[in-house]
Amino acid sequence: MHGTSLLDRLAGQLTRLCAVVDADPAVPRQLVADLLGPAATRPVDQPPAWPSDVADDHTPVEYSVAFNEAEPPTLRILAEAQAATGDLAAHAQAAYRFLDRQVDRFDLATSRFDAVREVFDTDRPRGAFALWYSLVFRSGRRPELKVYFNPAVRGEEHRATLVVEALRKLGLDAAYPMMVDGGLRPGELGRRDQLTFFALDLHDGDQSRVKLYVSQYDATVDDAVRAASVVDDIDPDQVADFCTTAAGGPGPYERRPLVSSYTFTTGATQPVGYSLYVPIRDYVDDDVQARDRVRELLDRYGLDASRLDPAIEAVTDRPLADGVGLIAHVSLRVGRPRPGITVYLSAEAHQVAAPRPGRDRTPMNAGSM
């Protein structure tokens, strides 16, 4: 790995991941190179110049593979645009410039983005990030982009104000009270329930979404079931089963928080979809255990798990018993538009987190499973 640049490391992983999901790697590699900017040539054996919050080792890229009920797996990339200076405002401007370069190239729809940009855009951003992107690659289709705004970008105390104002500008503010009153823990908004991401798709159509993410600290499986209950036709037993299996018990989950996300579509007076994100890396001893739990969940929910191991092999060749965090999150998507399970894979470009002590460790390569 000595002398390998960040772009070289990520480009190799992307090429292999695209082969797993039957996608052309050329555009994903180009977009990641564009996002990395000056960080592209930085050697991975040096610490990152900017402590991106995208991944635990501050790599500004995270992969995910969405396993869907009615279509092939989808590759997604979460990324933060990089600037030449270690300043959050500079990184925010790099993110806006990145979007400017992609609008015409991919015929992006930015009317909703433009409507809420003034709510979140500030000369003095605060918090862990200002703007992130999700790049979505479905076999045989042009890339889709989603943007994530930080509700804390003007300060922790303004999270709810910014979210309500952004929803109002999009005509979705009527759905917010139902989410808060019916889904969140009474009196915990702004305390143990934190508004974490405000996201929207950069395309038009019936499935174009706005998503609101809530980090739920010290939550239990019952809190996850309550959070999902505000969406119609959700099976509470399914949510409980997923959460308990992924996290290894009913909670409370005292390490990284569960994350609940709500999907809103035009004209909706309540959320139309729900996703539960379990930070599985905090509730396993190593990546062998994480992989086994994910495989169990894919099998249990009738999803084709045959590409799970190839996806893992595309990202790393290290023994899974030698680290924890390669499989960072696993999420259950219920309701519209695409139910299924998504597995989040860390690039581990700069560092591999040591496994937790206490297990009988027999080295196991991802390729041998």
Side-chain angles (χ1 to χ4, degrees):
M1 188 180 292
H2 180 71
T4 301
S5 72
L6 180 58
L7 180 58
D8 286 344
R9 166 79 169 173
L10 299 180
Q13 292 172 329
L14 274 171
T15 299
R16 295 186 293 271
L17 279 169
C18 285
V20 172
V21 300
D22 302 322
D24 184 345
V27 173
R29 289 196 305 249
Q30 291 169 5
L31 286 171
V32 167
D34 195 356
L35 280 160
L36 291 178
T41 57
R42 190 173 183 86
V44 295
D45 57 2
Q46 296 181 13
W50 170 252
S52 175
D53 207 41
V54 167
D56 293 345
D57 71 339
H58 304 307
T59 302
V61 167
E62 179 189 65
Y63 310 116
S64 61
V65 178
F67 295 84
N68 310 301
E69 290 183 0
E71 60 184 52
T74 299
L75 173 64
R76 301 176 181 178
I77 302 170
L78 178 67
E80 180 176 28
Q82 300 295 285
T85 60
D87 174 82
L88 184 56
H91 283 75
Q93 291 308 306
Y96 286 118
R97 290 193 298 271
F98 170 80
L99 179 58
D100 289 341
R101 294 191 293 271
Q102 314 310 325
V103 169
D104 290 336
R105 182 183 181 190
F106 297 112
D107 192 25
L108 302 179
T110 63
S111 58
R112 293 183 304 166
F113 175 88
D114 295 336
V116 303
R117 174 173 173 168
E118 66 182 75
V119 175
F120 297 100
D121 193 8
T122 171
D123 292 336
R124 296 182 178 180
R126 297 159 66 181
F129 77 101
L131 199 67
W132 287 350
Y133 289 99
S134 176
L135 316 175
V136 182
F137 302 95
R138 307 185 198 280
S139 180
R141 295 172 56 176
R142 73 170 63 186
E144 298 172 13
L145 274 70
K146 181 168 70 174
V147 63
Y148 294 79
F149 291 102
N150 182 4
V153 74
R154 297 181 184 270
E156 293 285 337
E157 68 276 18
H158 298 300
R159 287 179 188 262
T161 301
L162 267 59
V163 165
V164 171
E165 177 62 11
L167 289 172
R168 186 191 66 79
K169 286 180 174 291
L170 299 175
L172 294 169
D173 47 318
Y176 179 79
M178 176 178 288
M179 182 205 76
V180 172
D181 296 339
L184 305 188
R185 291 171 287 186
E188 292 297 340
L189 180 63
R191 296 163 52 90
R192 293 190 300 165
D193 290 346
Q194 292 282 355
L195 300 169
T196 310
F197 305 104
F198 185 96
L200 52 86
D201 291 333
L202 296 176
H203 62 83
D204 288 329
D206 294 339
Q207 295 183 342
S208 184
R209 308 158 300 166
V210 173
K211 297 188 72 174
L212 184 58
Y213 296 72
V214 183
S215 294
Q216 300 195 277
Y217 293 84
D218 302 320
T220 67
V221 66
D222 291 339
D223 296 323
V225 170
R226 174 187 172 91
S229 67
V230 298
V231 178
D232 289 341
D233 300 322
I234 298 294
D235 181 354
D237 292 336
Q238 183 186 53
V239 174
D241 173 78
F242 179 88
C243 186
T244 302
T245 302
Y253 309 114
E254 297 175 340
R255 295 172 182 164
R256 282 184 179 86
L258 300 181
V259 177
S260 292
S261 81
Y262 296 92
T263 300
F264 305 90
T265 54
T266 302
T269 57
Q270 68 180 76
V272 300
Y274 172 82
S275 296
L276 173 66
Y277 301 78
V278 177
I280 192 170
R281 65 195 184 281
D282 276 271
Y283 301 100
V284 294
D285 296 318
D286 56 32
D287 284 309
V288 176
Q289 195 173 31
R291 180 266 181 195
D292 289 348
R293 288 187 191 173
V294 169
R295 179 61 186 253
E296 179 182 352
L297 287 166
L298 291 171
D299 289 341
R300 187 177 302 177
Y301 289 91
L303 298 170
D304 181 6
S306 64
R307 301 197 213 192
L308 174 62
D309 288 346
I312 292 172
E313 295 166 18
V315 176
T316 190
D317 59 1
R318 70 163 172 83
L320 296 185
D322 285 359
V324 64
L326 174 71
I327 303 175
H329 281 84
V330 60
S331 71
L332 174 69
R333 293 172 278 113
V334 289
R336 292 189 289 168
R338 291 183 176 90
I341 290 175
T342 302
V343 182
Y344 297 78
L345 301 172
S346 296
E348 294 185 332
H350 295 288
Q351 186 177 10
V352 175
R356 294 183 177 86
R359 272 167 61 88
D360 178 18
R361 304 190 182 284
T362 301
M364 180 182 296
N365 284 311
S368 68
M369 292 184 291

